[in-house]
Amino acid sequence: MFMKGKTSHLLQARWLSVSAYGMIRLLCRTYRYTIRNGESWSLLYQEGRNVLLCMWHQQFFPAFDYFSRHQPPAITIMVSQSHDGDIASAIARLGGFQPVRGSSSRGGTAALKTMIRALKQSRLAGHIVDGPRGPAGIVKPGVAALAKSAQAVVVPLWASADRAWYANSWDRFMIPKPFSHVTLTFGAPIQPEEMASRSVEQARLLIENTMRPFLIGFGC
């Protein structure tokens, strides 16, 4: 009975993920993208550096499709172990990403170790800095621990749109409207040397203070 229920859930998650991925692709194909300072991370990656792209949960929707079409080898990302995470993980795989299951509240330690190994091997990972549940504007310590352990360059990434819907959620999740002009801006890289001399908490605050001014609608 348990196996039957689990199989049913997985099949449902698979169907939902394929449907959702198709809708995401259709909507995002209508966007007009402007990329600012994109060379800030691509040159570092080409030089053989470990690169960790960091975004707020609020803004990752328009970046997902862009990277699924323009990324180098699969970007490793962390996805929660919840039922919603099953769907998100399947969507990520369809988009060419490599999901690692875990979050700050469940399976975080094991997932962090896997992320560190994957980042050292592939040299490219992405991370939602405030996690799947927030609070908004607060960077989780795992991001700093990951960057320090992998000696990665942290590259902040922000998304904005000239027209968008904002969900009634903890982070006011942003979905640009059809045919919007979307801007993806890569911030100045935070070098491993800047992180090495700091504790995890100090490194976390450095990332948070760098990224917080670009969180939309929170008076930052």
Side-chain angles (χ1 to χ4, degrees):
M1 191 71 178
F2 171 77
M3 290 302 297
K4 183 178 179 180
K6 184 176 181 180
T7 300
S8 176
H9 167 71
L10 291 175
L11 289 174
Q12 183 183 41
R14 175 66 179 175
W15 180 84
L16 287 172
S17 64
V18 171
S19 299
Y21 180 66
M23 289 187 289
I24 291 170
R25 285 175 61 92
L26 284 174
L27 176 58
C28 291
R29 290 301 190 276
T30 71
Y31 297 159
R32 293 175 292 113
Y33 282 95
T34 294
I35 310 301
R36 293 180 176 171
N37 201 27
E39 69 281 357
S40 69
W41 73 270
S42 60
L43 290 176
L44 291 167
Y45 179 78
Q46 293 170 18
E47 292 171 358
R49 307 288 295 279
N50 297 338
V51 177
L52 179 61
L53 301 171
C54 291
M55 289 197 77
W56 294 116
H57 184 274
Q58 177 193 63
Q59 300 169 19
F60 79 79
F61 180 88
F64 171 83
D65 182 71
Y66 176 82
F67 278 103
S68 72
R69 289 184 289 144
H70 297 92
Q71 69 183 23
I75 298 175
T76 302
I77 58 173
M78 187 179 291
V79 180
S80 74
Q81 293 183 354
S82 66
H83 290 317
D84 287 346
D86 292 340
I87 299 172
S89 178
I91 292 173
R93 288 187 184 280
L94 289 170
F97 295 83
Q98 181 61 48
V100 170
R101 304 300 301 276
S103 66
S104 58
S105 60
R106 185 179 177 188
T109 301
L112 178 60
K113 291 180 179 178
T114 302
M115 285 286 293
I116 292 169
R117 289 195 299 269
L119 178 51
K120 288 181 176 179
Q121 182 176 4
S122 69
R123 297 189 294 101
L124 183 62
H127 208 90
I128 303 301
V129 295
D130 46 355
R133 298 180 180 179
I138 304 299
V139 170
K140 301 293 186 181
V143 181
L146 171 59
K148 284 173 64 66
S149 297
Q151 296 182 317
V153 181
V154 173
V155 179
L157 171 59
W158 303 287
S160 61
D162 60 347
R163 296 180 298 113
W165 293 296
Y166 292 90
N168 185 24
S169 60
W170 61 269
D171 66 342
R172 300 189 67 234
F173 188 75
M174 179 183 76
I175 300 178
K177 294 180 180 181
F179 304 102
S180 296
H181 181 194
V182 174
T183 301
L184 299 181
T185 302
F186 294 86
I190 302 174
Q191 299 294 337
E193 295 77 13
E194 298 179 71
M195 308 281 280
S197 61
R198 289 175 164 86
S199 66
V200 169
E201 174 60 16
Q202 290 171 335
R204 185 196 72 79
L205 285 173
L206 174 62
I207 299 171
E208 183 176 294
N209 291 336
T210 300
M211 297 187 63
R212 193 174 174 88
F214 296 91
L215 187 63
I216 300 171
F218 286 87
C220 301

